[in-house]
């Protein structure tokens, strides 16, 4: 692989974005984490163990599937899907939790905590906690617990305690506040497993590295199948981990266009959306500087999306950097369009996507009109739709 | 001289310690906050910490979270807090220290925030999500305006790092008594006295202790070891209990605070 961009810098900045905006109590823990990650990620024994679990336990390598029927139906470029939905626990989240849990074990931490929106990251954390014999508690907004009941039960079955969060909007942002409060309180023995490329340095870097396996595999697979690079990479963006995992290994391939799909909720022109990059301002939330949704006084606005995983008023700092430097383009898709995306993929390919991924699916329809037959599109199918069946059936 | 620094100078000369209460500005509304501030001064507050509400206060426990929610619901804004300080400054010389999260300051604009804050009559700021590494720009601006950026230190802070924090901090150093969020605690931990003694040997700047202090006995004990005691959540609880009798709230606050202030000043 060619040389990657030198972001973040030593202080955790991607241009003006990123940093470590956290209470002093956490600073020594974060410094310890930076040092541990730096030394551990280079160790061949760590790499070998992680690879073992990714392969034998999570089910990597995931297929790069040529969606022939969908391609024919949409009439544009060739569509490939990176099948992260086929992984153990049903989404890309396990790539990251395996990495972080192994790091926690290396650091001698006995307890994992996590925040979760859709519950996918919570389930993925609960899973690795069970696997490695660690205690685990997951913070989840009460609103999300209602709409993702199945995942709440899965976590409990895996031996994790799910802690309901009923402050603010009772969704992902509030769960993250509460997880940080727990971390501040139990910092000495607890490892905070952040689920996206967000939070203070080194999380955006670390999660990107653990998710980059998506793009690294896709690059190798497309070279084998098509003997050339893709024209477009498409992925949904909430915090942005599956998108970053796909994009990052192609960073230096300037001819490859990146498209991140944000959740437009009830519409970009309404007050009910989660378009942090497209409509937000630069601010500080959950430990880093990035685009966020806020009011004129700097109060964080409530995001809205039918998909709990995208229902977040911020975004990972590296995405803000990609937007500012023009490396990636960010678009948005509404709740109704995402539901149409679920239907489209289910009917044409026999794959029920997660509501999050369905945002990217629907965007393919818009993109098809701009593409030529010889273009190649790789979309990250980040998760499967089983967890969303209740919401999908209610809305169809 | 900055009012916080001159207050500590005076207290030291008199051999006294500082009592610093915290309230969230605009809880339950700006008019009541004004009355509470006056009551706090009357009861013996040496410095008053005023929280500017932020929607996502990740260093605060449930009591202060609720106070912030009440304040925001009542329509509190940065501008309203600044206007309130301007009016209060005509009545009192007690130093005001803002406590808020970095997004509020960043969104307002660092330079503009410091300028407007100083001209309103506030004297310093505590930003719990702005560690030393990220605070350089704000400190640079604040120094030019004789405005104190008060840094926090925690039980997890190693000694060499504490020295750097003490050097960067102006006004006083805010020592967080425990690993956790704000809120009352039954016990303050047996290690705390030793910790404070160690810190006091490393700096000549005042060290004030906050988080978890809820009664006269605790406040007196803390003050005997340090340069001042900060009381927040316990005071907010008094406000919370008196929400349906706003007209007598200030009196209740004064009655609650006076013995705590006395305990600190007796040391």
């Amino acid at each position: 692989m060619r040389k990657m961009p030198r972001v973040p810098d030593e202080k955790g900045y991607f241009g003006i974005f990123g940093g470590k905006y956290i209470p002093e109590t956490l600073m020594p823990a974060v410094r310890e984490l930076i040092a541990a990650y730096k030394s551990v990620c280079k160790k061949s024994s760590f790499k070998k163990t992680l690879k073992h679990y990714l392969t034998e336990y999570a089910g990597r390598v995931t297929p790069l599937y040529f969606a022939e029927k969908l391609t024919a139906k949409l009439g544009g470029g060739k569509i490939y899907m990176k099948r992260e939905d086929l992984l153990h626990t049903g989404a890309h989240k396990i790539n990251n939790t395996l990495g972080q849990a192994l790091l926690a074990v290396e650091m001698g931490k006995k307890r994992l905590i996590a925040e979760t929106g859709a519950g996918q990251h919570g389930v993925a954390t609960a899973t690795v906690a069970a696997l490695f014999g660690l205690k685990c508690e997951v913070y989840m907004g009460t609103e999300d617990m209602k709409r993702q009941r199945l995942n709440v039960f899965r976590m409990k079955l895996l031996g994790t305690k799910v802690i309901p969060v009923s402050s603010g909007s009772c969704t992902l942002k509030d769960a993250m506040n509460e997880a940080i409060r727990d971390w501040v309180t139990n910092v000495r023995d607890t490892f905070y497993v952040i689920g996206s490329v967000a939070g203070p340095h080194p999380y955006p870097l670390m999660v990107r590295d653990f998710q980059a396996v998506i793009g690294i595999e896709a690059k190798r697979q497309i070279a084998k199948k098509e003997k050339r690079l893709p024209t477009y990479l498409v992925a949904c963006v909430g915090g942005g981990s599956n998108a970053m995992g796909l994009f990052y290994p192609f960073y230096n391939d300037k001819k490859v266009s990146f498209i991140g799909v944000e959740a437009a909720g009830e519409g970009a022109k309404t007050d009910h959306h989660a378009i942090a990059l497209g409509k937000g301002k630069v601010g500080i939330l959950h430990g880093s500087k990035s685009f966020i949704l806020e009011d004129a006084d700097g109060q964080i606005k409530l995001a809205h999306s039918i998909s709990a995983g995208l229902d977040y008023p911020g975004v990972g700092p590296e995405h803000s950097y990609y937007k500012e430097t023009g490396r990636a383009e960010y678009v948005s898709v509404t709740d109704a369009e995402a539901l149409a995306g679920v239907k489209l993929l289910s009917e044409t390919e026999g794959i029920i996507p997660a509501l999050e991924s369905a945002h990217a699916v629907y965007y393919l329809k818009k993109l098809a009109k701009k593409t030529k037959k010889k273009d190649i599109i790789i979309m990250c199918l980040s998760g499967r739709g089983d967890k969303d069946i209740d919401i999908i059936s209610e809305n169809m | 001289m900055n009012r916080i620094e001159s207050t500590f100078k005076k207290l030291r000369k008199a051999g006294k310690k500082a009592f610093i209460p915290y309230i969230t500005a605009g809880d339950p509304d700006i008019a009541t906050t004004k009355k509470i501030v006056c009551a706090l001064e009357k009861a013996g507050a040496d410095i008053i910490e005023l929280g500017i509400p932020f929607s996502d206060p990740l260093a605060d426990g449930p009591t202060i979270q609720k106070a912030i929610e009440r304040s925001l619901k009542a329509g509190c804004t940065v501008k309203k807090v600044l206007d309130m300080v301007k009016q209060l400054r005509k009545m009192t010389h007690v130093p005001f220290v803002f406590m808020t999260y970095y997004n509020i300051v960043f969104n307002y604009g660092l330079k503009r925030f410091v300028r407007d804050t100083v001209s309103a009559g506030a004297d310093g700021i505590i930003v719990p999500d702005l560690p030393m590494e990220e605070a350089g720009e704000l400190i640079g601006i604040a120094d030019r305006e004789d405005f104190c950026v008060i840094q926090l230190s925690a039980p997890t802070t190693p000694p060499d790092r504490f020295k750097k924090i003490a050097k960067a901090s102006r006004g006083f150093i805010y020592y967080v008594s425990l690993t956790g969020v704000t809120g009352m605690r039954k016990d303050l931990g047996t290690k705390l006295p030793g910790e404070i003694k160690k810190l006091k040997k490393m700096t000549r700047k005042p060290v004030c202790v906050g988080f978890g202090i809820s009664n006269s006995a605790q406040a007196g004990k803390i003050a005997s070891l340090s340069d001042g005691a900060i009381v927040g959540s316990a005071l907010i609880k008094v406000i919370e209990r008196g929400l349906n009798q706003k007209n007598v709230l200030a009196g209740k606050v004064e009655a609650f605070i006076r013995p705590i202030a006395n305990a600190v000043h007796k040391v």
Side-chain angles (χ1 to χ4, degrees), chain A residues 12-229:
Chain A
Y13 276 92
F14 305 85
I16 65 158
F17 304 103
K20 305 185 275 285
Y21 296 89
I22 47 169
E24 170 62 22
T25 311
L26 294 177
M27 282 304 294
V30 161
R31 288 159 68 105
E32 180 199 2
L33 180 61
I34 293 168
Y37 179 62
K38 227 178 178 174
S39 74
V40 164
C41 74
K42 281 185 210 138
K43 272 197 213 165
S44 62
S45 61
F46 180 81
K47 283 188 201 162
K48 217 174 130 191
T49 312
L50 180 57
K51 195 173 177 195
H52 165 78
Y53 283 106
L54 285 173
T55 312
E56 303 293 326
Y57 184 75
R60 301 212 73 91
V61 175
T62 60
L64 184 70
Y65 168 67
F66 173 41
E68 202 174 348
K69 303 276 165 48
L70 186 65
T71 301
K73 183 164 176 133
L74 297 181
K78 279 178 103 169
I79 298 167
Y80 282 88
M81 301 205 155
K82 185 61 177 159
R83 297 291 307 274
E84 297 299 295
D85 62 317
L86 293 176
L87 285 173
H88 179 42
T89 72
H92 70 292
K93 296 291 186 188
I94 191 89
N95 301 328
N96 170 46
T97 57
L98 274 171
Q100 288 197 44
L102 284 170
L103 182 58
V105 171
E106 285 269 338
M107 291 173 73
K109 305 278 180 184
K110 303 277 182 242
R111 176 176 178 260
L112 303 182
I113 55 166
E115 82 295 334
T116 197
Q120 291 303 98
H121 172 60
V123 168
T125 308
T127 299
V128 296
L131 176 64
F132 298 124
L134 301 165
K135 199 178 163 207
C136 181
E137 291 179 36
V138 172
Y139 289 89
M140 190 170 190
T142 48
E143 193 54 41
D144 290 339
M145 286 178 75
K146 256 188 269 166
R147 49 181 172 175
Q148 304 286 348
R149 266 180 312 216
L150 178 66
N151 276 343
V152 174
F153 183 72
R154 289 166 84 194
M155 285 186 267
K156 287 180 183 165
L157 195 59
L158 291 159
T160 280
K161 189 172 162 200
V162 181
I163 303 173
V165 178
S166 56
S167 55
S169 56
C170 310
T171 62
L172 181 54
K173 115 181 145 77
D174 311 286
M176 196 149 176
N177 286 336
E178 216 44 49
I180 294 173
R181 289 182 187 120
D182 180 314
W183 193 24
V184 172
T185 309
N186 303 298
V187 59
R188 290 185 175 102
D189 69 341
T190 295
F191 189 103
Y192 180 19
V193 184
I194 294 184
S196 195
V197 284
H201 180 61
Y203 284 96
L205 157 77
M206 200 163 69
V207 178
R208 174 192 78 191
D209 290 354
F210 288 138
Q211 291 294 1
V213 66
I214 302 172
I216 293 167
E217 284 177 9
K219 201 170 184 177
R220 202 165 55 220
Q221 289 166 315
I222 203 71
K224 205 166 172 194
K225 287 177 200 276
E226 295 283 349
K227 312 278 182 291
R228 60 195 169 105
L229 286 166

Side-chain angles (χ1 to χ4, degrees), chain B residues 39-156:
Chain B
L40 290 172
E41 198 198 4
K42 225 165 118 191
D46 298 292
I47 293 167
I48 294 172
E49 221 186 283
L50 288 170
I52 302 177
F54 175 54
S55 54
D56 293 74
L58 48 79
D60 284 302
T63 305
I64 294 180
Q65 283 176 47
K66 274 187 226 149
I68 288 170
E69 273 173 35
R70 288 193 293 270
S71 167
L72 287 174
K73 217 173 160 193
C76 187
T77 62
V78 177
K79 190 173 177 303
K80 283 181 188 171
V81 177
L82 292 176
D83 287 346
M84 178 188 77
V85 168
K86 205 175 274 176
Q87 290 162 21
L88 284 166
R89 191 44 85 215
K90 289 175 195 155
M91 302 181 245
T92 172
H93 291 291
V94 71
F96 291 123
V97 173
F98 284 145
M99 162 119 174
T100 195
Y101 289 81
Y102 194 48
N103 195 52
I104 294 293
V105 181
F106 182 80
N107 174 71
Y108 197 93
L110 267 55
K111 269 188 196 157
R112 187 171 152 239
F113 186 90
V114 172
R115 197 186 57 216
D116 289 2
T117 299
V118 169
S119 86
D123 310 284
I125 190 168
I126 301 162
V127 190
D129 61 344
L130 191 70
M132 188 175 63
E133 284 83 349
E134 307 287 358
E137 197 181 351
L138 182 62
I139 291 174
I141 293 164
D143 276 346
R144 290 196 286 277
E145 302 274 354
D146 198 27
F147 184 68
C148 294
V149 178
I150 294 151
Q151 305 273 310
L152 296 112
S153 175
T156 49

Side-chain angles (χ1 to χ4, degrees), chain B residues 20-48:
Chain B
I20 309 172
Y22 163 92
I23 53 168
T24 302
D27 168 35
D29 52 57
I30 292 281
T32 312
T33 299
K34 261 194 247 173
K35 286 181 201 156
I36 293 173
V37 167
C38 296
L40 290 172
E41 198 198 4
K42 225 165 118 191
D46 298 292
I47 293 167
I48 294 172

